[in-house]
Amino acid sequence: MKKYIITFLISMVPILELRGAIPIGVTMGVKWQYAVLLCMIGNMLPVPFIYFFARKVLEWGADKPVIGKFFTWCLTKGKRGGEQLKEKAGKGLFWALLFFVGIPIPGTGAWVGTLAASMLELDFKKSVLAVALGVILAAAIMTTATLLGVQAFIAVK
């Protein structure tokens, strides 16, 4: 039971998300089907909170002594990056967000994608749908890579 909880919790951690949780869960002995399901749920659980509250927290902290510079930097970078994405994607912003979340490379994922959607003030329902589909895509990619990688290590033994 402990390994299932750990897998679920790792999937909610920024940066790692399900990209790290699926391989960790599978290597701990969680069946891949359960790992994928747990990780997709865990990765999506923070999304509404990020969408509605992350920008407000950053704006609140922007003028605070210790955290102000970092929060201001996050706001500036998020807004600038969001506007650039909006310019490049145009009407394809839904697909851009989906692939941004879905392609598992460093600096992408549900956390950053949702924060970007919030900064751009995109429609909540469309943003959550794009992020959810992106999480499904990332789960498929990571599951395939994990299973191929685990099989490669087993074959070497």
Side-chain angles (χ1 to χ4, degrees), residues 53-65 67-68 71 75:
F53 301 115
R55 189 174 85 204
K56 291 176 181 170
V57 170
L58 290 173
E59 289 170 350
W60 167 83
D63 63 348
K64 304 296 183 254
I67 57 175
F71 279 31
L75 282 168

Side-chain angles (χ1 to χ4, degrees), residues 18 22 36 40 102 134-146:
L18 66 72
I22 289 174
V36 170
M40 289 191 324
V135 165
I136 292 169
L137 175 60
I141 293 168
M142 289 309 301
T143 302
T144 303
T146 299

Side-chain angles (χ1 to χ4, degrees), residues 14-87:
I15 300 172
L16 288 178
E17 301 184 28
L18 66 72
R19 295 149 163 68
I22 289 174
I24 290 170
V26 170
T27 55
M28 285 191 310
V30 176
K31 288 186 179 183
W32 71 266
Q33 300 93 327
Y34 297 129
V36 170
L37 184 61
L38 285 170
C39 291
M40 289 191 324
I41 294 168
N43 204 182
M44 285 302 296
L45 199 60
V47 166
F49 301 102
I50 297 165
Y51 184 89
F52 289 115
F53 301 115
R55 189 174 85 204
K56 291 176 181 170
V57 170
L58 290 173
E59 289 170 350
W60 167 83
D63 63 348
K64 304 296 183 254
V66 176
I67 57 175
K69 285 184 180 180
F70 176 69
F71 279 31
T72 301
W73 177 81
C74 288
L75 282 168
T76 304
K77 186 160 179 68
K79 287 179 184 174
R80 191 174 340 120
E83 291 302 321
Q84 289 173 347
L85 180 64
K86 205 172 189 177
E87 278 180 28

